[in-house]
Every structure is written in C-alpha cells, then in structure tokens.
C-alpha cells in the first residue's frame, strides 16, 4: 500500500505549515511534525495529550543527515547505525543546539532514527528535514499498527493519515543511549538486544532510576481499556466474567469467551507484528477482562513481555 504523489505532496505541505500528519513506519504509525518548528512540536503533545516530560524521537532521511542533529557520534554508535539503519533502532546522542527543547523535554540528548518504511522514507526525502514522531496513539494507550487504528485513536484531531498498510515489525524501535560511558538499552523493542550485542558487545539493560537517562519509561503504558493480567495458566480463571485470552502460541480454548493466538508456530517475529493490533481487537470485543500469556524471555520476547507488563500495571 502506497499513498499517491498528490497525497504525499499534501502531507509535505501540511508539515511545512506546522501541521501534524500520521505516517506509517516499519514499527508503528507515528504522529509526525517538523522537528525545527516548536509550534508543530507543541501540536504533537496536545493532539496526543502527552506530558511534556516525555521526549520525542527524531526521524532522519539518512545516516549522513544525523550529523546535523548531534554533536558527537561515537564509533560504536556509528557501527550500529551502519548495520541497522534504515530500521527499528533509535540512538540517543548529545543534541545539536538547534534542536528545540520541546523535542527533547529539555534534555541535552536527542533520540534519532532512520526509518525503513518506504512511505516514511519518501516523505522524509520530499520534506527534506527531520520529523519528530511519537507513536500515533493518545498518551498511554495501545500503539497503532494500521491506518484504521490511528483513525480510531486520533481521528478528527489531525488533518491527514498516510496509509502505508499494516506495520511490518509491529512494536516500537529499540532505543540505545550513548550518553553514559557505556551503551545502554533504555527501551527494548523491535531489534533484539542480542543482535545489537553481536555487533558492539555488552549493552547495559534493566531499569534506570535517572529520568535524564531513561525519560518516559512510565510503568503504565500501552494500556487497553479492559483490565489486563499476565496469566501463565497456573491460577484458576475468574468466575462470572467474560475472559479474553491473548496467547503466544497456545490454542487451547476452553473457558474463555475469546481466544486470540499470536503465532501458532511460536514465531516471535510474527507474534510481534500482530501484538498491538490483536490486543486492540480483543479489547473491543465482548470481554470483561483480558489475560495474556507471557512470552519466552529472549529476543523479541523480552520486548513483548515489557509491553505486557506495562499494559497490565494498572490492573
Ligand atoms: O518505533 C518507534 O520508535 C516509533 C516510531 C513512530 O518511530 N516512535 C516511538 O516514539 O515509539 P515514542 O514517542 O512512543 O517514544 C519516545 C521514547 C520516549 O518515551 C523515551 O523513552 C525515548 O523515546 N527518548 C526520547 N528522547 C530521549 C532521550 N533524549 N533520552 C532517552 N530516551 C529518549
Ligand atoms: Mg509510544
């Protein structure tokens, strides 16, 4: 699926005017605005109802262009960029002076990536600048992986949604910060940490208390409307409730009102690509609560378990 040239030109014109446009990326749909225009950045925050302490990711047309937004690009970071861009990897590096405080929530660092989706790439080429783009959902809610999901989340609030079909990866980019001495993963995501470590060696992981290093890592996030619990099958099912079950590969169906299996063959790539959309569908089906089967704690399974923990933390 590819928007026609007129639609892409319209998107560029809107972005130049400081408007926001929803765009497909290979991870999730983003709500894009001109990174140089504080008014556009403010609009992103207000459309999403996003708190200002949660900084945005800048999307660059190319690796070379990234040198304009950072003041230091250490060789380890560059190796990752050369290996994985365009793709679902975000790097956090010291920011260039011009990058507005609104984009970085006042931090001296900036998050940046080169997306791989052909529509995002073509738009960035035509726009010839940097686009700040958080996921195109209202704050705290499930990330959208289809144009329809963006319309469900933000319809009526934005002038244009570019439809690039369903997102291939289905979960957000992996974020690696280079602002301490050693590289640190501040968000697990579509690129498994194991693949990153194969290129640059050990990467720090695990929770960080310092909000200057890992801002926006809120406990509650990606939340469906219905309560969600992580359920490994060891407890009995709640009585008198219509229960939806989100499983990784189990297809057993007794006792549930609705069972959705992400990958009967146990393929984590397939499971990730379907995760948010399936959660969204289960959430709007006739169930009172959602139980979710944990994933194996390796590769993409780690990123998916992270999303499940945050989606369930209110429950
Ligand atoms: O896959 C993705 O990364 C998607 C698509 C649209 O590109 N975007 C996305 O953006 O997930 P968002 O706004 O949902 O995530 C932004 C997160 C922040 O919550 C924070 O964790 C991290 O990026 N971040 C941004 N700037 C940072 C910085 N200066 N230092 C550390 N983390 C930062
Ligand atoms: Mg998000």
């Amino acid at each position: 699926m590819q928007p026609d040239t007129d639609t892409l030109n319209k998107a560029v014109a809107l972005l130049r005017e400081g408007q926001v446009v929803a765009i497909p990326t290979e991870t999730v749909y983003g709500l894009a605005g001109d990174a140089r225009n504080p008014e556009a950045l403010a609009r992103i925050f207000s459309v999403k109802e996003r708190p200002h302490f949660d900084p945005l990711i800048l999307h660059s047309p190319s690796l070379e262009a990234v040198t304009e937004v950072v003041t230091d690009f250490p060789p380890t970071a560059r190796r990752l960029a050369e290996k994985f861009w365009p793709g679902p990897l975000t790097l956090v590096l010291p920011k260039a002076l011009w990058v507005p405080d609104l984009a970085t929530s006042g931090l001296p660092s900036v998050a940046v990536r080169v997306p791989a989706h052909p529509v995002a790439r073509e738009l960035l080429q035509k726009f010839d600048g940097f686009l700040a783009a958080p996921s195109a959902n209202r704050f705290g809610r499930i990330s959208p992986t289809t144009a329809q999901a963006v319309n469900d989340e933000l319809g009526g609030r934005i002038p244009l949604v570019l439809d690039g079909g369903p997102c291939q990866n289905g979960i957000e980019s992996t974020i690696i910060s280079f602002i301490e001495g050693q590289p640190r993963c501040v968000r697990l995501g579509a690129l498994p940490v194991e693949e990153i470590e194969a290129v640059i060696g050990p990467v720090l992981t695990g929770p960080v208390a310092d909000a200057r290093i890992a801002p926006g890592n809120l406990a509650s996030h990606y939340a469906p409307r219905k309560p969600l619990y992580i359920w490994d099958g060891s407890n009995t099912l709640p009585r008198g409730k219509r229960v939806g079950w989100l499983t990784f590969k189990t297809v057993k169906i007794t006792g549930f009102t609705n069972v959705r299996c992400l990958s009967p063959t146990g393929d984590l790539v397939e499971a990730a690509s379907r995760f948010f959309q399936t959660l969204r569908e289960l959430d709007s089906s006739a169930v009172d609560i959602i139980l979710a089967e944990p994933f194996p704690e390796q590769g993409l399974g780690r990123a998916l378990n992270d999303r499940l923990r945050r989606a369930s933390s209110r429950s």
Side-chain angles (χ1 to χ4, degrees):
M1 170 122 27
Q2 173 90 13
D4 58 27
T5 308
D6 281 354
T7 311
L8 278 174
N9 289 341
K10 185 177 169 205
V12 170
L14 286 164
L15 290 166
R16 294 222 169 100
E17 281 167 21
Q19 293 296 328
V20 293
V21 172
I23 64 166
T25 84
E26 71 281 20
T27 58
V28 301
Y29 274 74
L31 181 63
D34 181 356
R36 284 186 191 270
N37 183 343
E39 208 177 295
L41 299 174
R43 201 161 266 142
I44 291 175
F45 283 94
S46 84
V47 165
K48 275 194 61 129
E49 301 168 34
R50 179 182 176 111
H52 287 263
F53 59 74
D54 193 3
L56 306 174
I57 294 174
L58 266 49
H59 294 67
S60 170
S62 68
L63 194 162
E64 300 74 56
V66 166
T67 54
E68 285 176 45
V69 299
V70 304
T71 55
D72 186 29
F73 204 160
T76 38
R78 203 176 262 278
R79 284 225 300 286
L80 287 186
E82 278 162 7
K83 171 93 181 165
F84 297 114
W85 281 351
L89 167 73
T90 295
L91 301 179
V92 175
L93 296 163
K95 86 173 187 83
L97 208 55
W98 70 263
V99 179
D101 277 340
L102 257 181
T104 65
S105 301
L107 291 172
S109 57
V110 62
V112 61
R113 80 182 190 98
V114 180
H117 194 292
V119 174
R121 301 205 71 194
E122 195 176 343
L123 183 71
L124 281 161
Q125 295 295 341
K126 277 180 185 278
F127 178 68
D128 193 22
F130 302 93
L131 293 174
S135 48
N137 49 280
R138 273 170 286 154
F139 183 69
R141 302 257 351 262
I142 303 171
S143 302
T145 56
T146 63
Q148 183 57 52
V150 176
N151 278 314
D152 294 346
E153 283 288 320
L154 303 177
R157 299 183 181 193
I158 56 178
L160 181 64
V161 179
L162 292 180
D163 191 346
C167 301
Q168 206 185 344
N169 292 129
I171 54 170
E172 296 85 351
S173 61
T174 302
I175 306 180
I176 305 290
S177 167
F178 285 88
I179 63 162
E180 301 163 279
Q182 228 184 312
R184 175 189 292 281
C185 179
V186 294
R187 180 176 73 187
L188 295 161
L191 180 65
V193 172
E194 291 90 331
E195 287 188 39
I196 291 167
E197 293 187 322
V199 178
I200 59 167
V203 165
L204 300 170
T205 55
V208 207
D210 190 342
R212 286 165 305 177
I213 291 171
N217 272 353
L218 301 180
S220 173
H221 212 138
Y222 313 111
R225 294 197 174 85
K226 313 277 171 67
L228 181 145
Y229 301 87
I230 297 172
W231 189 72
D232 62 8
S234 55
N235 299 340
T236 52
L237 286 180
R239 282 208 210 110
K241 288 208 154 79
R242 295 170 303 172
V243 183
W245 195 24
L246 179 67
T247 79
F248 170 39
K249 57 181 182 177
T250 312
V251 285
K252 195 184 79 179
I253 46 162
T254 46
F256 299 95
T257 305
N258 192 352
V259 177
R260 296 296 306 272
C261 177
L262 292 168
S263 175
T265 62
D267 177 354
L268 282 166
V269 173
E270 180 183 37
S273 73
R274 300 184 55 211
F275 177 75
F276 281 129
Q277 184 59 22
T278 308
L279 183 56
R280 197 174 277 278
E281 286 163 15
L282 209 46
D283 194 28
S284 43
S285 74
V287 299
D288 304 310
I289 68 167
I290 300 169
L291 303 183
E293 180 179 42
F295 299 87
E297 189 65 24
Q298 61 180 50
L300 286 174
R302 289 169 72 182
L304 289 165
N305 283 334
D306 166 76
R307 302 301 185 274
L308 275 187
R309 277 192 290 272
R310 292 177 206 269
S312 69
S313 74
R314 273 187 323 178
S315 314

